Structures are given as structure tokens and as C-alpha cells.
Amino acid sequence: MQHSKALAIKFIASLVLLFVILGLIYGMSFGNVFIITALLGIVSYILGDMLILPRSSNAVATVADFGLAFVLIWFLSSILTYGDNLFIMSLVAAAGVALFEYFFHGYLVRNMTEASTETGIVNQGNLQYNTEASEDLTPVRPDVRSDDEE
């Protein structure tokens, strides 16, 4: 239930945002905006929100969503429309999507972690692995020459 609510929020907000940018500013039809929003919503929810966000930070997931949105919007708009300036249009739309995703990730972290702790699955978040190093890097043997014995 939590995933369907999050997907619905993401789809509606992205549809409104992309319709304002792509539809009203750049003149793309509502059907094309709907297709782009549906594909972008599903792909970015799976990749950015379920795979990248739990294993990294909000900033990393937002940058990944920006790149994914830019490539997907540019590719789909080149297939669906005959626009002249697809690069700038895709860049502006991807920046708007990335701004929305930054706040949406905060919503996901607050609400999805509560649901996962109820089921017993604890999110580890940003795991940081450390290594241990020793000061004894050279062997202590009489046949090995040391720099201190000169």
C-alpha cells in the first residue's frame, strides 16, 4: 500500500510539473506528456527511489534522477515530437523533476522507513566501510636493512 501511494503522489506531481514545462511552455501535447510521465515515473521509482536512495544519500539519488530524467525525456521527446530545441527543453524539464525528487526523497525516507521497521526490515542507509591498518608495515628481521641504521 505504501508503494502505490508513493507512486500515485510521484505520478500526479510529475504530470503537473511536466505538463507545465513541456506542455504549456514548449507546446507538447498532453498525450505525449502523459506517456513521458508514466515511463519516467516507473523507471525512476524503481532505479532512483528503491535502489539508489536506500544505498546512498539524497543528493546522490537526486543527481541520478536528474540524469535519468534528462536522458529519458530527451529520448522520448525525440521519438514523439518534431521539436527543434529538444536539448534545452529536456534540460529544463529534468531540472524541474530533480527539484521535485529532492523533496520526494525526504517524503520517502520519512514514510517508507516507518513501514519497513514495522515489518522487521531495517534500512541500513549509507553504509561506510572502514579498513584497519597497522603501523608494522616492515618485518623485523636482522637480514632486512632499515633506514634508521645508517
Side-chain angles (χ1 to χ4, degrees):
M1 185 63 179
Q2 292 287 336
H3 291 290
S4 59
K5 183 179 176 183
L7 269 170
I9 291 171
K10 183 178 185 116
F11 178 75
I12 291 169
S14 295
L15 182 65
V16 170
L17 175 78
L18 288 177
F19 181 70
V20 168
I21 294 172
L22 297 177
L24 298 180
I25 296 175
Y26 288 101
M28 189 180 287
S29 71
F30 180 77
N32 292 342
V33 172
F34 187 84
I35 292 170
I36 291 172
T37 303
L39 289 174
L40 180 63
I42 292 169
V43 171
S44 70
Y45 187 76
I46 292 170
L47 291 178
D49 301 336
M50 294 293 110
L51 293 176
I52 296 174
L53 181 62
R55 292 169 177 81
S56 65
S57 65
N58 188 3
V60 172
T62 303
V63 169
D65 280 331
F66 172 78
L68 177 69
F70 174 72
V71 169
L72 204 62
I73 291 170
W74 188 25
F75 178 72
L76 290 174
S77 61
S78 69
I79 292 173
L80 297 172
T81 63
Y82 295 109
D84 291 338
N85 202 357
L86 297 179
F87 180 79
I88 299 296
M89 177 183 69
S90 302
L91 196 64
V92 170
V97 168
L99 182 65
F100 162 71
E101 288 287 339
Y102 179 79
F103 296 107
F104 183 69
H105 291 158
Y107 166 78
L108 284 180
V109 168
R110 281 191 310 276
N111 293 323
M112 297 302 255
T113 31
E114 293 172 6
S116 65
T117 54
E118 292 172 3
T119 60
I121 301 170
V122 178
N123 185 5
Q124 294 295 324
N126 191 4
L127 299 176
Q128 295 191 7
Y129 299 105
N130 293 323
T131 57
E132 185 175 324
S134 171
E135 292 181 17
D136 300 330
L137 296 177
T138 57
V140 180
R141 291 183 12 208
D143 60 337
V144 176
R145 185 170 160 234
S146 166
D147 290 337
D148 297 332
E149 297 176 3
E150 293 184 49

